[in-house]
Amino acid sequence: MASIELKNIEKSFGSNKVINKFDIKINDGEFVVLVGPSGCGKSTLLRMISGLESVDIGEIYLNNKLINNLIPSKREIAMVFQSYALYPHMNVFENMAFGLKMERIPKSEINKKVNNAAATLQIEDLLERKPKQLSGGQRQRVAIGRAITRNPKVFLFDEPLSNLDAALRSEMRVEISKLHKKLKSNIIYVTHDQVEAMTLADRIVVLNKGNIEQFGSPNEIYNDPNNIFVAEFIGSPKMNIIKMNKDQIINSNTIKLFTNKITFENLNFKDEVYIGIRPEDISIQSDRDIQLDVKVDLIENLGSEKIVYARLLEKQIIIKSSEDISNQQLRISFSKDKVLFFDKDKKRIR
């Protein structure tokens, strides 16, 4: 196991700054996921940790040892790429053994390491096959196996499941989670898929334009977002955000939400404010504090649940429900304690 610390990391490509003052510490054996939209700097961070990209400003420490100037092969870090990067002319055994051969490891030790990794990933019967004879999931296992043979202190995963279909992605998420528990190594995992982030991570880093928007456990990120960007990015469907203008703020702790006058304790509204409510926290029964009448525009039937797109005056409301819905008019309700508030700068009001 290892601890990793990134201190005030900055990276630019020309005039484009892609990472800005990135500063986190990852504990021994922790599974950390970097999540954010395309272009936010996730993969660039992985490449800097692995040594494939230089650091402009800042330091990277592995077990309190500065590794900025170490070449990739000396960092005790293994990276699993999105494209798998398997040699097509080599069979599975040869692909998994290639890095060890380059390090001039004895043949008997190579055989042991490859066979142990294959057993861990349950691909012993694939060792003689070429990559073109493998499915996407099998190729991914081979790429992970190649990383395991090096016995690294840190595994880096760069969107490893993005080339797989939905069912196989779900299966591989479970396999990667089991692998982490078995190896007890640090994993830093990059994805733009918030479902992967929530299901795999011990802690999540939410990135936006090279900046850390929030770093915390999945529950903290989901239940206590720092700002509207995090609130909308984590959760599917995304959180409903409704802007309250000055004329809807009655006093320092009371707002008028359409036809409802609602008072909240320990808040101080001074200017325009945004309120947030998650689709799954809205009931299609009128059994909670705040009740609203909405018109249904569209219902997506996902089998076990329905996603309802409804309209309240000019505002769209998204509702997630397991109940059957056929009416075009609904009375929805939600509890006051499920409402989140954000200020005019879209930062959370605590």
Side-chain angles (χ1 to χ4, degrees):
M1 294 192 294
S3 64
I4 309 154
E5 189 169 7
L6 288 84
K7 291 187 174 181
N8 297 314
I9 300 296
E10 295 191 14
K11 181 67 180 178
S12 298
F13 295 110
S15 61
N16 181 28
K17 179 169 276 191
V18 293
I19 301 294
N20 183 40
K21 298 188 184 302
F22 189 90
D23 193 345
I24 66 168
K25 183 172 183 179
I26 299 171
N27 301 319
D28 286 354
E30 196 169 25
F31 196 132
V32 169
V33 175
L34 308 180
V35 68
S38 297
C40 70
K42 308 182 297 295
S43 295
T44 300
L45 275 165
L46 276 203
R47 292 176 64 82
M48 286 193 287
I49 295 169
S50 69
L52 297 176
E53 196 73 64
S54 63
V55 176
D56 290 349
I57 298 174
E59 293 123 17
I60 301 174
Y61 293 90
L62 179 61
N63 283 341
N64 299 316
K65 177 184 177 182
L66 183 66
I67 63 171
N68 284 47
N69 296 321
L70 291 181
I71 62 173
S73 62
K74 300 298 183 183
R75 294 195 180 198
E76 299 182 276
I77 291 171
M79 190 162 177
V80 179
F81 296 91
Q82 178 181 349
S83 62
Y84 315 140
L86 302 179
Y87 297 106
H89 63 287
M90 295 182 183
N91 64 25
V92 168
F93 183 96
E94 291 166 337
N95 266 285
M96 292 173 65
F98 182 76
L100 301 176
K101 287 182 178 179
M102 293 298 99
E103 295 178 22
R104 301 185 184 278
I105 303 294
K107 187 175 180 180
S108 60
E109 189 174 344
I110 290 174
N111 289 338
K112 182 180 178 181
K113 285 178 176 288
V114 171
N115 286 315
N116 285 344
T120 297
L121 295 164
Q122 299 179 353
I123 55 173
E124 304 103 306
D125 58 339
L126 305 179
L127 291 177
E128 298 302 318
R129 295 190 192 181
K130 298 285 181 64
K132 67 181 180 181
Q133 298 172 303
L134 305 177
S135 68
Q138 289 169 335
R139 292 178 193 177
Q140 187 62 75
R141 282 185 170 88
V142 174
I144 294 171
R146 182 177 54 194
I148 291 173
T149 61
R150 295 185 56 203
N151 193 30
K153 291 181 178 176
V154 181
F155 288 91
L156 306 178
F157 286 80
D158 190 6
E159 302 201 44
L161 308 184
S162 60
N163 293 331
L164 306 179
D165 61 51
L168 195 51
R169 280 203 304 272
S170 179
E171 180 183 322
M172 286 302 299
R173 282 202 305 268
V174 174
E175 293 302 319
I176 290 172
S177 185
K178 287 180 180 177
L179 183 66
H180 175 242
K181 289 179 172 61
K182 182 179 290 187
L183 298 177
K184 298 180 180 178
S185 297
N186 288 77
I187 293 179
I188 304 176
Y189 187 105
V190 158
T191 183
H192 63 269
D193 185 337
Q194 53 96 13
V195 174
E196 284 181 33
M198 292 291 289
T199 54
L200 287 172
D202 294 320
R203 288 194 292 170
I204 297 171
V205 181
V206 183
L207 279 169
N208 183 30
K209 297 179 181 177
N211 296 295
I212 298 175
E213 297 288 351
Q214 192 163 350
F215 182 30
S217 71
N219 282 340
E220 289 169 347
I221 298 286
Y222 179 82
N223 294 315
D224 194 18
N226 282 346
N227 52 47
I228 287 179
F229 177 84
V230 176
E232 290 190 311
F233 195 85
I234 299 296
S236 181
K238 68 180 183 179
M239 181 181 286
N240 294 293
I241 301 292
I242 301 173
K243 184 178 180 180
M244 301 281 102
N245 295 318
K246 289 182 180 179
D247 58 356
Q248 294 171 285
I249 299 174
I250 297 173
N251 56 47
S252 62
N253 61 358
T254 303
I255 60 172
K256 185 178 182 182
L257 179 58
F258 302 104
T259 57
N260 293 264
K261 185 185 291 186
I262 312 163
T263 299
F264 297 86
E265 298 179 1
N266 302 319
L267 289 172
N268 187 16
F269 303 135
K270 297 178 180 178
D271 210 327
E272 64 186 40
V273 66
Y274 296 85
I275 69 167
I277 181 74
R278 293 206 178 274
E280 52 270 36
D281 290 329
I282 299 175
S283 171
I284 63 168
Q285 307 294 332
S286 54
D287 56 353
R288 301 180 187 176
D289 303 334
I290 302 168
Q291 299 180 15
L292 299 168
D293 292 316
V294 298
K295 180 181 179 182
V296 175
D297 287 338
L298 175 68
I299 300 174
E300 291 183 338
N301 188 346
L302 304 182
S304 62
E305 62 189 15
K306 313 291 187 299
I307 307 299
V308 181
Y309 296 85
R311 188 159 299 280
L312 182 62
L313 300 178
E314 76 282 6
K315 303 288 186 182
Q316 178 177 274
I317 304 290
I318 303 175
I319 306 151
K320 182 189 279 190
S321 177
S322 59
E323 299 186 44
D324 288 328
I325 302 167
S326 57
N327 297 334
Q328 292 301 300
Q329 297 286 339
L330 285 178
R331 169 157 288 191
I332 62 171
S333 65
F334 49 90
S335 301
K336 284 202 296 186
D337 61 4
K338 295 294 184 180
V339 178
L340 303 184
F341 293 92
F342 306 89
D343 63 21
K344 64 180 181 179
D345 297 319
K346 301 187 178 181
K347 296 179 180 179
R348 179 77 178 279
I349 301 172
R350 304 292 179 179

